[in-house]
Amino acid sequence: GCPLTPLPPVSIAIRLTFVLQDWQQYFWPQQPPDIDALVGGEVGGLEFGKLPFGACEDPISELHLATTWPHLAEGIIVDNDVYSDLDPLQAPQWSVRVRKADNPQCLLGDFLTEFFKLCRRKESTDEILGRSAFDEEGKDVADITHALSKLTEPAPVPIPKLSVTNMVHSAKKKIRKHRGVDESPLNNDVLNTILLVSELSLHMDSENTWTSYTDAFAVALWRKWEKLANGSPDLRCCLLHQKLQMLNCCIERKKARDEGKRGSASDRSPGGASGDNPDKEKEFGKSWESWSDSEEEFFECLSDTEDLKGNGQENGKKGAKESVNLKPEGRLHPHGKLMLLHPGEPLYVPITQEPAPMTEDLLEEQSEVLAKLGTSAEGAHLRARMQSACLLSDMESFKAANPGCCLEDFVRWYSPRDYIEEEVVDEKGNKVIRGELSARMKIPSNMWVEAWETAKPVPARRQKRLFDDTREAEKVLHYLAVQKPADLARHLLPCIIHAAVLKVKEEEALEDISSVKKIIKQIISHSSKVLRFPSPEDKKLEEIIAQIMSVEAIIARARSLKAKFGVEKCENEEEKEDLQRFVNSLLEQPEVSVVGAGRGPAGSIIHKLFVNAQRVPAVPPLEEELRRSGSQEERRQGLQSEFPPPTGREVILRTSVPRPAPYSKALPQRMYSVLTREDFRLAGAFSADTTFF
């Protein structure tokens, strides 16, 4: 008969998969939160001044090891139910992937989520603390218009009795009359901790009287401490912070005015203040002498310009001749370089009023008012006059400090670019420097010219106040009084998100994960755009919180893997760097090859993990024992080499066969099969020569 055609060689690739689920031999390093405090609904489950971070449980649930023999010849191995030549330690290729825990509890993410829920609550302060919780018995509620005086007036009682702690404990006594002791939202220990930190802050920086409370609020919410700037409201801060800064400004202005009155009363002389005294501090102390707290004094400088026009000085030499004999007042110091054009005397820098500080909501309100004036000539003129209050005040101060001055003198000091100087040749042929006002200063009905004609020589201490601190303080206190707890949380939410971003950056710096660095940059870019607006959309805020939670989970998984692979305990620097790269690859890639397979540094550690897990096996149920009746025989034969039974087997058969006829071109053929405890699949990929068929 015909000779038999020899069968082509078959190449076999086998892959065994092992799953490690038992991490009992490793202690998860993350300290859990105070469950009793959190379950009890109390604030302060964690340390004050610090945001929580990390996972309460291991974020890595399983480790999958795939051992692969890519090229095995047919007939040289035995692999069946009772015996196997396939030793995982001898496999030439290892690869690993990790399975993440389903929804691990991460502290920072949970904190942000719960805080964001507070922003959506509808209860008022009265509904939480009880209506009229702070009302005094037998007395009407204090008028808010007297609040600033109470905040700044000298206290007749010892300072210790005015501490934050005593004031709040006094308030708590009143609250107990309206609600049960056990119903307080903060227990005594937590409240005392908050008061201790906030009171310490006030003692360390007594000038930041009210803005320090922003930090006290943030401490109660685990926000990081930060130095609060004194002075005008910082528009980069949240509106609540700006309001407290505004209140601080009002207190400082009121205190300075009161101190000036007391100082002027003790140092007053019949001749009055000397206009030639350059001592700024002394002049400032006397500058508030004639100011009043009456309601009639609280309007901008331009509110009575119509009455002042008839008494104002004219521009140029005429005004200079009329006022040259006036006594100078309100001088700060000589300019040093400039001289008055017409009298030829030194030009003095005047003491001026500080411009009124504004919060972002006041700026928005002012912009709306100015926009409603329209674009007509009358509206534009009115808009210019409303905006020139500070300019008029400075002109009056300048005239008082420099009798006989002219508009050109003021412009040379106030706006040098609007005074143009050039070198010319006079009648005698000498080169001299002459100057004149800029083109915009010469426009008819110029605001500067009108203001100069209206301005009278009045030093800053006798001018109407540009900044009505009493009225602004009342506005701030009323704003704080009507705030709901959810509104307060809304104001602090950008601060919390900012602190959370700083926290994840701090934690990432310890791990050095490139993928996390990229995500943090995205969070910063996204949050800076969203939080730029006063009322960001809830959906966008949820996206930012979700991004922060994902970063926290990645860092927690990195620490889990580093603990399991002993990265920090490795003494060999080269091996330590290899293990660090391996851990980072597991975080960023779905499956990672193990360098050196079972004989490399990472492979040795993986082998130990499986060995330790086998030493403390969990007791399987009876059905599992019956279903795996052959497992003891497998271990007796040394099938798994201290590894658990494989959860899956994958086999690939490859060969080249001429099809469909013996004289056809030999083409590759492939068959794939996978076998698990619950599944069996078989797939084939066959090719044929179609040249003649």
Side-chain angles (χ1 to χ4, degrees):
C2 297
L4 295 175
T5 304
L7 294 176
V10 178
S11 175
I12 304 175
I14 300 179
R15 178 172 179 169
L16 302 181
T17 302
F18 303 91
V19 177
L20 178 62
Q21 297 175 316
D22 185 11
W23 309 108
Q24 294 181 1
Q25 70 274 18
Y26 284 91
F27 173 73
W28 178 237
Q30 177 69 43
Q31 293 294 329
D34 188 348
I35 301 299
D36 294 334
L38 294 179
V39 173
E42 298 177 353
V43 179
L46 297 174
E47 182 179 357
F48 285 107
K50 294 183 179 179
L51 284 172
F53 191 87
C56 293
E57 56 187 10
D58 197 334
I60 302 295
S61 61
E62 295 178 352
L63 184 144
H64 293 219
L65 170 65
T67 58
T68 305
W69 291 262
H71 302 288
L72 294 176
E74 183 182 8
I76 66 171
I77 62 167
V78 175
D79 182 30
N80 53 42
D81 292 340
V82 296
Y83 180 81
S84 177
D85 290 327
L86 300 176
D87 184 357
L89 289 176
Q90 303 302 321
Q93 294 180 4
W94 277 22
S95 60
V96 175
R97 62 180 183 272
V98 294
R99 180 180 177 184
K100 308 169 187 177
D102 296 333
N103 300 322
Q105 182 185 3
C106 292
L107 298 178
L108 180 59
D110 290 349
F111 169 77
L112 293 176
T113 302
E114 293 300 320
F115 191 91
F116 187 61
K117 291 180 180 178
L118 294 178
C119 300
R120 297 179 170 180
R121 300 189 64 170
K122 304 299 183 181
E123 297 92 341
S124 65
T125 305
D126 287 342
E127 291 173 339
I128 294 178
L129 299 179
R131 177 172 292 278
S132 303
F134 295 97
D135 291 353
E136 298 183 10
E137 292 185 357
K139 296 182 180 180
D140 295 333
V141 179
D143 190 354
I144 199 171
T145 58
H146 301 133
L148 184 61
S149 298
K150 289 188 176 182
L151 291 174
T152 57
E153 66 185 5
V157 296
I159 294 298
K161 294 185 179 181
L162 290 179
S163 65
V164 178
T165 306
N166 289 332
M167 287 190 291
V168 174
H169 280 304
S170 176
K172 287 184 64 179
K173 292 180 181 179
K174 299 172 185 176
I175 294 177
R176 292 193 187 101
K177 298 178 181 179
H178 299 271
R179 58 185 298 168
V181 178
D182 297 334
E183 298 178 18
S184 177
L186 295 178
N187 63 30
N188 290 335
D189 294 337
V190 174
L191 182 59
N192 289 333
T193 304
I194 299 174
L195 296 177
L196 178 62
V197 177
S198 60
E199 191 168 343
L200 178 61
S201 173
L202 296 179
H203 290 168
M204 291 177 63
D205 190 359
S206 59
E207 293 185 357
N208 286 340
T209 307
W210 282 98
T211 54
S212 298
Y213 278 99
T214 306
D215 280 339
F217 293 147
V219 167
L221 301 167
W222 297 299
R223 178 188 169 192
K224 284 192 169 184
W225 286 91
E226 65 181 35
K227 181 71 174 177
L228 295 180
N230 191 13
S232 299
D234 188 352
L235 298 183
R236 296 171 300 177
C237 302
C238 67
L239 183 58
L240 174 65
H241 190 124
Q242 296 177 39
K243 290 293 184 181
L244 296 179
Q245 286 181 316
M246 175 65 81
L247 185 57
N248 194 39
C249 292
C250 297
I251 294 174
E252 292 302 318
R253 297 285 180 93
K254 179 67 164 57
K255 289 172 61 178
R257 202 165 61 251
D258 293 343
E259 291 172 2
K261 290 179 181 179
R262 290 193 295 269
S264 62
S266 60
D267 299 336
R268 186 175 302 164
S269 61
S274 175
D276 297 328
N277 187 357
D279 189 343
K280 178 181 179 182
E281 182 177 356
K282 185 175 180 180
E283 186 71 37
F284 181 78
K286 294 183 179 181
S287 64
W288 316 96
E289 178 178 349
S290 63
W291 284 19
S292 171
D293 287 335
S294 64
E295 192 69 28
E296 290 77 7
E297 300 291 336
F298 297 162
F299 51 85
E300 299 291 353
C301 295
L302 284 183
S303 61
D304 60 343
T305 54
E306 293 297 334
D307 297 334
L308 297 176
K309 279 186 176 182
N311 300 323
Q313 295 180 337
E314 296 181 0
N315 184 19
K317 296 182 179 179
K318 182 178 179 181
K321 292 179 181 179
E322 293 178 355
S323 60
V324 71
N325 295 324
L326 293 177
K327 187 177 182 178
E329 296 182 87
R331 288 179 171 179
L332 182 60
H333 59 77
H335 186 278
K337 295 182 180 180
L338 297 180
M339 305 288 289
L340 296 180
L341 293 177
H342 301 299
E345 298 179 356
L347 186 149
Y348 280 83
V349 176
I351 296 175
T352 59
Q353 295 193 56
E354 295 183 9
M358 302 190 74
T359 57
E360 64 181 33
D361 59 334
L362 294 179
L363 285 174
E364 183 178 356
E365 179 181 346
Q366 185 187 62
S367 299
E368 292 178 357
V369 172
L370 295 177
K372 290 180 180 179
L373 295 177
T375 58
S376 63
E378 183 180 357
H381 184 71
L382 182 59
R383 186 186 303 108
R385 294 187 58 184
M386 291 178 61
Q387 294 175 320
S388 63
C390 186
L391 175 64
L392 179 62
S393 172
D394 292 342
M395 284 182 173
E396 292 187 338
S397 300
F398 187 84
K399 281 188 174 183
N402 298 279
C405 63
C406 60
L407 177 60
E408 286 81 355
D409 294 322
F410 177 78
V411 171
R412 290 163 62 212
W413 167 69
Y414 202 85
S415 179
R417 293 184 178 181
D418 284 308
Y419 189 78
I420 303 173
E421 294 182 336
E422 59 181 355
E423 189 178 89
V424 298
V425 179
D426 61 7
E427 298 176 354
K428 298 181 180 180
N430 299 324
K431 293 183 178 180
V432 295
I433 297 178
R434 292 181 181 176
E436 61 179 356
L437 296 175
S438 63
R440 78 182 185 105
M441 290 293 178
K442 297 179 181 179
I443 299 176
S445 301
N446 184 291
M447 178 187 68
W448 287 60
V449 175
E450 289 188 358
W452 182 260
E453 294 175 350
T454 302
K456 299 170 64 176
V458 181
R461 67 169 183 258
R462 292 205 301 267
Q463 295 176 7
K464 301 301 196 305
R465 277 183 284 167
L466 294 178
F467 176 56
D468 184 357
D469 48 59
T470 305
R471 183 177 60 186
E472 295 302 327
E474 293 170 2
K475 288 182 180 180
V476 173
L477 294 174
H478 180 266
Y479 174 85
L480 296 176
V482 300
Q483 291 291 297
K484 294 182 178 180
D487 299 330
L488 176 64
R490 277 281 182 180
H491 288 309
L492 291 178
L493 184 59
C495 304
I496 294 295
I497 292 179
H498 178 256
V501 173
L502 293 179
K503 183 65 175 180
V504 296
K505 286 189 66 176
E506 174 186 341
E507 299 293 336
E508 185 279 328
L510 303 176
E511 309 301 331
D512 191 21
I513 308 172
S514 58
S515 61
V516 173
K517 294 180 186 292
K518 296 179 181 178
I519 300 177
I520 291 178
K521 289 182 179 179
Q522 295 174 359
I523 295 175
I524 295 175
S525 176
H526 189 195
S527 59
S528 62
K529 295 178 182 178
V530 173
L531 300 178
R532 184 179 304 169
F533 301 98
S535 300
E537 298 179 9
D538 288 356
K539 183 179 180 181
K540 294 182 178 179
L541 293 173
E542 291 173 348
E543 292 175 356
I544 296 175
I545 294 175
Q547 287 179 309
I548 296 176
M549 293 174 63
S550 67
V551 170
E552 182 184 21
I554 294 174
I555 295 176
R557 287 194 289 270
R559 291 178 175 173
S560 174
L561 293 173
K562 288 176 67 175
K564 292 174 174 58
F565 284 90
V567 176
E568 299 299 332
K569 298 180 180 179
C570 185
E571 298 179 355
N572 189 307
E573 289 297 328
E574 184 176 354
E575 291 184 1
K576 184 176 181 179
E577 292 179 1
D578 293 340
L579 289 175
Q580 182 66 55
R581 284 193 293 269
F582 178 73
V583 168
N584 291 342
S585 298
L586 285 175
L587 296 172
E588 299 172 359
Q589 302 175 17
E591 187 168 350
V592 180
S593 298
V594 180
V595 178
R599 296 171 296 278
S604 301
I605 295 175
I606 294 172
H607 177 220
K608 292 178 182 178
L609 291 174
F610 278 98
V611 170
N612 293 334
Q614 288 296 100
R615 290 176 180 173
V616 192
V619 179
L622 179 60
E623 295 82 359
E624 183 72 10
E625 285 290 338
L626 295 175
R627 191 165 60 86
R628 296 171 50 191
S629 59
S631 60
Q632 291 187 358
E633 180 64 18
E634 291 176 350
R635 288 195 293 272
R636 184 180 67 81
Q637 296 291 341
L639 175 64
Q640 303 305 335
S641 300
E642 299 180 312
F643 281 80
T647 59
R649 283 183 170 86
E650 297 173 83
V651 180
I652 299 177
L653 303 178
R654 297 187 184 91
T655 187
S656 294
V657 177
R659 293 183 61 243
Y663 50 83
S664 299
K665 183 180 179 180
L667 297 174
Q669 317 294 325
R670 183 180 182 272
M671 181 175 289
Y672 168 81
S673 68
V674 59
L675 177 64
T676 64
R677 294 193 182 102
E678 297 83 13
D679 190 19
F680 170 74
R681 284 175 290 164
L682 183 65
F686 309 103
S687 55
D689 184 6
T690 60
T691 304
F692 300 104
F693 298 92

